[in-house]
Amino acid sequence: MLVTPAQYLRVTCKSLNPLIKKGMPVVICAKGIEEKSGQLLSEIVKEELPQAVIAVLSGPTFAIEAALGKPTAITLACADEAVGKDIVLALANDTFRPYLSDDITGVEVGGAVKNVMAIAGGIVAGKKLGDNAKAALITRGLAEIMRLSEALGGKKETLMGLAGLGDLSLTANSMQSRNFSLGFAIGEGKKMQEVLAGRNSVSEGVYTASAVRETAQKLGVEMPICEAVYQLLYKDANVDEIVKALLTRPYKKETE
């Protein structure tokens, strides 16, 4: 189980390489995209641990609730169905229910980009923009995630499940989310550096925002909410101006 933050996954895999035997399953539990390379975490593991069978664990899970035995459902993605079933059986218990998927890319994209959307969700809450805005953000945010996943080879339907809609609904709505609480503070008027200076935990969406923006631009995928979060985090953009810019974008069909 690889549970190190996404930006430290590569160095962790390098150190683990001598210990991983051929055919041994490794389960990626971090959510993110490597900032320097723009690679998905499964791509990093494939490079650094080519002898391993890769699986990805993702979905709507606050660790404290899972640890307390509260009902939790997640997605376990693995290209090798037999290995995936074995991992599901190994992890499952009365309150922790994994669902098997073969769409590693879709599951990873959902888990990564929802952290950026969670920052946006926090900003909406911190600015007191209302429940209508929150619902719109989640819906349009999911559309962005789907577009990027499809461009990278993932399946749209995967994002309608636990690793997409489920995880996005959870983390873009709760102060338990480190990314949401960061966005909330920004929405209240604080600067990112000011908020992060007082934390000892990782807000993965900060790094992912940069990586997602670069990936989307390379692929020609339109992701206005992710772009807005990037501008707020890295270009010191004004929240009110960013919100206005999003609301005055050209009208189009919802499916576009």
Side-chain angles (χ1 to χ4, degrees):
M1 308 286 284
L2 299 174
V3 300
T4 53
Q7 306 309 317
Y8 299 94
L9 183 64
R10 186 180 296 278
V11 67
T12 300
C13 288
K14 285 182 183 291
S15 66
L16 288 174
N17 187 291
L19 305 175
I20 305 298
K21 299 177 182 178
K22 183 176 176 59
M24 181 181 292
V26 294
V27 184
I28 301 168
C29 301
K31 299 174 181 178
I33 297 173
E34 190 175 48
E35 190 175 25
K36 291 181 180 179
S37 68
Q39 287 183 304
L40 297 176
L41 303 189
S42 62
E43 294 175 318
I44 295 171
V45 175
K46 188 175 181 179
E47 285 183 3
E48 305 298 340
L49 300 174
Q51 70 275 36
V53 177
I54 300 171
V56 177
L57 189 72
S58 191
T61 48
F62 286 139
I64 184 62
E65 293 188 8
L68 290 172
K70 294 187 176 182
T72 300
I74 54 91
T75 300
L76 188 286
C78 185
D80 188 319
E81 185 175 357
V83 173
K85 287 180 178 179
D86 286 342
I87 297 172
V88 165
L89 292 175
L91 295 178
N93 61 38
D94 290 344
T95 58
F96 193 80
R97 184 176 179 83
Y99 286 83
L100 188 60
S101 170
D102 62 357
D103 184 13
I104 288 178
T105 297
V107 169
E108 280 196 280
V109 172
V113 185
K114 63 89 186 180
N115 284 330
V116 182
M117 296 301 172
I119 294 175
I123 292 170
V124 168
K127 284 289 293 182
K128 296 181 173 57
L129 297 179
D131 290 335
N132 291 350
K134 185 189 300 181
L137 171 76
I138 290 175
T139 309
R140 297 310 302 162
L142 182 61
E144 290 189 23
I145 296 172
M146 284 181 168
R147 286 199 294 269
L148 183 62
S149 175
E150 191 172 31
L152 289 169
K155 302 173 183 176
K156 275 188 173 182
E157 56 266 29
T158 299
L159 281 311
M160 293 305 295
L162 294 164
L165 179 59
D167 209 0
L168 178 61
S169 299
L170 182 75
T171 51
N173 271 309
S174 174
M175 288 294 282
Q176 286 192 68
S177 163
R178 297 183 295 270
N179 295 289
F180 182 92
S181 61
L182 170 66
F184 190 94
I186 292 173
E188 288 187 316
K190 296 178 182 178
K191 299 295 184 182
M192 177 182 72
Q193 292 78 7
E194 176 187 355
V195 180
L196 294 179
R199 296 185 172 194
N200 58 10
S201 58
V202 177
S203 296
E204 195 63 64
V206 172
Y207 305 103
T208 304
S210 175
V212 164
R213 179 181 188 260
E214 186 169 344
T215 300
Q217 288 184 339
K218 285 180 180 177
L219 296 172
V221 178
E222 191 177 25
M223 302 186 73
I225 298 174
C226 287
E227 175 65 26
V229 172
Y230 172 83
Q231 293 295 331
L232 288 168
L233 296 181
Y234 290 96
K235 300 300 181 180
D236 203 28
N238 179 274
V239 174
D240 291 323
E241 291 178 359
I242 287 291
V243 171
K244 182 179 180 181
L246 286 172
L247 291 175
T248 54
R249 281 168 46 80
Y251 297 111
K252 58 175 60 179
K253 292 181 179 179
E254 186 176 10
T255 52
E256 295 179 345

